[in-house]
């Protein structure tokens, strides 16, 4: 994640990051956390998760399901 740019060039074109298209097991989820109907919101709902260093105030947008 530290080197990942979330494929900003693809996002700018309205596409999803390459990892979302290439991962057949759907180990990752991508979407709008503000939309309760999005895949990523549904994946987080009712599940335990952690983030890297949220106490640093950087508002991380990567969630690790535990």
């Amino acid at each position: 994640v530290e080197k990942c740019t979330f494929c900003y060039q693809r996002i700018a074109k309205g596409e999803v990051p390459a990892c979302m298209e290439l991962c057949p097991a759907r180990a990752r989820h991508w979407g709008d956390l503000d939309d309760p109907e999005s895949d990523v919101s549904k994946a987080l709902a009712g599940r335990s998760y952690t983030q890297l260093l949220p106490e640093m105030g950087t508002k991380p947008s990567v969630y690790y399901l535990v």
Side-chain angles (χ1 to χ4, degrees):
V1 172
E2 293 171 0
K3 294 180 182 180
C4 178
T5 64
F6 293 105
C7 295
Y8 67 88
Q9 71 282 8
R10 292 176 60 94
I11 301 300
K13 293 189 251 178
E15 300 173 350
V16 298
C19 61
M20 292 300 301
E21 288 186 357
L22 299 174
C23 182
R26 292 280 298 155
R28 297 175 184 219
H29 298 274
W30 175 265
D32 184 357
L33 285 172
D34 294 328
D35 177 6
E37 296 302 314
S38 70
D39 288 343
V40 69
S41 290
K42 290 177 182 179
L44 286 175
R47 306 253 326 249
S48 297
Y49 60 85
T50 189
Q51 294 173 293
L52 293 178
L53 304 174
E55 65 275 7
M56 299 301 288
T58 59
K59 300 179 184 173
S61 59
V62 175
Y63 294 77
Y64 297 92
L65 300 176
V66 293

